[in-house]
Amino acid sequence: MGSPHWKRLCFLLLAGLTSSLLLYGHYYTTVDVTSPADPPLVSSPSLLQPEPLVLAPPGTSRRAGSHVGQKVDPGWRLNRGPLPSQPSRCPLSVVARAKADPTFGEIFRFDTPVLMWDQHFTPETWDRLKTRHVPYGWQGLSHTVVGSTVQLLNASANRHLFDRDTFPGGCVRCAVVGNGGILNSSRQGKAIDAHDLVFRLNGAVIKGFEEDVGTKISFYGFTVNTMKNSLIAYEEYGFTQIPQAKDLRYIFIPSDIRDYMMLKSAIQGSPVPEGSDKGDKPQKYFGPEASAEKFKLLHPDFLQYLTARFLRSELLNTQYGSLYMPSTGALMLLTALHTCDQVSAYGFITSNYEQFSDHYYELEKKPLVFYANHDMMLEAALWRRLHRAGIITLYQR
């Protein structure tokens, strides 16, 4: 039990919602990922459908009880309306391909806000989202903590993932790099680095695997839980520090109150004042000079929309449905699909996943671990469909 393998295994079982992780073992063993009968995608309205946003006009107060703000037409498009105008000029963009597909044309809603920023925090938004549990809302969370965090995201850089003006006249090509074992000996490093932007997540080990996974990193996506678990679980493989670089941006997935508290402390440059991360110093993760412009916060409505329309798992209909959410990799890939023009996915689950180790940096082959709070088979089916539709390019071998 003292070996690194057993320490890592025991930690993962404990950290990943221990009380429920193994309850769905039978569920996964009875699902065939290679089956041609992919589960249906949700194209009709559902209980998870986001309601219209209410934005506070610039310069107005957003205190609870002030009831300021204006209704926003549900048809407003991402990067229009209150956001800087940054329309895509790419003729073969994700938007164009999705609209041309009879199925995905009904699934994608590019008007759904991807990021949350200060003008989103209104009394109306609080009243609406406090009825949904995280990550889809703020049920049970502190109004003070959530509000004081979101109101710090008041720079233009917090409103969009990247500035299209830095990519004039062309298509913004993005690579999303998962940590799947399929990348071991893949020699995809140069292809990955050739993209304009590169997303990485969780235990993104680079040193020693540059030829397979490249070195470029534009965005690092995580929840505080997955970030800290990765630092412990994958330390033996060389993941000892969260990536840091001048142009690197961090994408927070708000899965708990600790994500809001860590984000607030990171922007303010101060230790976390309370909670399970009390006293922790964000500077050691994100660097000593991490300003608000370096941070992005996924909108709970966006997470709701992704789950309702792309990854509505049968697990939601069980007594443990409140634990379910798409994996970090899935959220990063779908985020890229709603912001970039062309998207390539590397290191994601494919139909022949059993041929590869769980992660590309493992020296000995380890089976893919299925946790009950994710539905990896559903995600695998979605990636196949998107690849077949030409909306993503899924690396397979």
Side-chain angles (χ1 to χ4, degrees):
M1 290 293 291
S3 68
H5 168 71
W6 278 108
K7 286 173 61 180
R8 174 175 172 270
L9 179 59
C10 291
F11 172 79
L12 288 174
L13 291 175
L14 177 64
L17 301 170
T18 312
S19 61
S20 66
L21 293 183
L22 302 181
L23 294 178
Y24 292 103
H26 176 70
Y27 169 83
Y28 284 114
T29 58
T30 56
V31 178
D32 180 9
V33 72
T34 63
S35 171
D38 291 338
L41 290 167
V42 178
S43 59
S44 58
S46 73
L47 294 176
L48 288 172
Q49 184 74 17
E51 298 92 341
L53 284 173
V54 176
L55 290 183
T60 60
S61 171
R62 291 174 294 278
R63 292 185 298 107
S66 60
H67 297 292
V68 297
Q70 59 187 36
K71 292 288 183 180
V72 176
D73 181 353
W76 71 280
R77 293 293 177 184
L78 184 66
N79 291 336
R80 294 186 185 176
L83 299 185
S85 179
Q86 293 186 316
S88 171
R89 296 179 291 273
C90 181
L92 297 176
S93 66
V94 168
V95 175
R97 291 178 184 272
K99 287 182 177 179
D101 186 271
T103 298
F104 284 109
E106 297 296 321
I107 302 296
F108 277 89
R109 286 289 302 274
F110 291 101
D111 57 336
T112 305
V114 174
L115 302 178
M116 172 158 274
W117 40 287
D118 67 328
Q119 290 184 41
H120 286 157
F121 193 74
T122 66
E124 292 87 351
T125 302
W126 171 260
D127 289 341
R128 179 169 59 83
L129 294 184
K130 73 179 183 181
T131 64
R132 299 193 211 139
H133 65 78
V134 289
Y136 313 113
W138 297 328
Q139 188 178 80
L141 304 188
S142 164
H143 177 279
T144 300
V145 171
V146 174
S148 60
T149 300
V150 174
Q151 290 173 0
L152 291 174
L153 300 172
N154 52 21
S156 61
N158 302 130
R159 304 182 182 189
H160 51 80
L161 209 62
F162 55 86
D163 185 357
R164 280 193 171 275
D165 292 339
T166 60
F167 304 95
C171 300
V172 181
R173 300 176 60 246
C174 297
V176 185
V177 185
N179 301 320
I182 192 172
L183 287 177
N184 188 286
S185 301
S186 66
R187 298 179 180 273
Q188 292 300 303
K190 289 184 178 180
I192 290 171
D193 287 347
H195 290 77
D196 298 306
L197 300 167
V198 178
F199 295 68
R200 301 184 192 267
L201 54 116
N202 294 344
V205 178
I206 292 178
K207 187 176 181 180
F209 297 91
E210 294 88 349
E211 189 174 61
D212 294 332
V213 303
T215 60
K216 190 173 184 177
I217 176 168
S218 311
F219 300 101
Y220 176 75
F222 62 97
T223 69
V224 172
N225 184 59
T226 62
M227 176 186 76
K228 290 197 168 186
N229 287 353
S230 296
L231 286 169
I232 297 173
Y234 310 124
E235 180 182 10
E236 61 179 296
Y237 303 112
F239 190 72
T240 58
Q241 183 178 337
I242 302 303
Q244 296 180 10
K246 179 182 178 182
D247 296 327
L248 174 61
R249 300 294 180 259
Y250 299 101
I251 303 176
F252 271 77
I253 301 170
S255 69
D256 198 353
I257 189 65
R258 67 192 302 203
D259 296 290
Y260 292 95
M261 296 186 72
M262 179 67 76
L263 175 55
K264 178 181 178 180
S265 293
I267 295 173
Q268 295 179 330
S270 60
V272 178
E274 57 183 299
S276 58
D277 302 303
K278 183 177 180 180
D280 205 358
K281 298 180 179 180
Q283 296 93 328
K284 71 181 181 182
Y285 304 116
F286 313 116
E289 299 179 358
S291 62
E293 288 77 7
K294 289 186 74 72
F295 299 105
K296 319 287 182 176
L297 177 65
L298 292 188
H299 200 300
D301 277 341
F302 182 60
L303 302 177
Q304 181 99 337
Y305 150 77
L306 296 182
T307 302
R309 288 181 165 256
F310 293 91
L311 291 169
R312 189 181 178 90
S313 172
E314 292 182 2
L315 298 178
L316 285 165
N317 301 323
T318 72
Q319 61 179 314
Y320 302 102
S322 62
L323 299 176
Y324 171 75
M325 66 181 290
S327 69
T328 306
L331 294 176
M332 287 300 98
L333 182 48
L334 289 166
T335 295
L337 278 170
H338 285 77
T339 51
C340 303
D341 293 319
Q342 296 173 358
V343 178
S344 301
Y346 298 85
F348 283 77
I349 186 171
T350 56
S351 59
N352 59 341
Y353 72 92
E354 292 180 331
Q355 298 180 19
F356 310 104
S357 191
D358 192 358
H359 302 99
Y360 62 81
Y361 37 78
E362 289 160 340
L363 300 179
E364 297 180 6
K365 183 180 178 181
K366 294 179 173 62
L368 181 61
V369 177
F370 292 101
Y371 295 109
N373 57 328
H374 303 315
D375 192 336
M376 300 304 292
M377 297 298 97
L378 184 61
E379 293 183 11
L382 176 60
W383 311 146
R384 288 198 302 271
R385 284 177 158 178
L386 287 167
H387 179 78
R388 288 198 296 261
I391 297 174
I392 68 170
T393 300
L394 177 65
Y395 174 70
Q396 304 175 80
R397 36 189 299 213

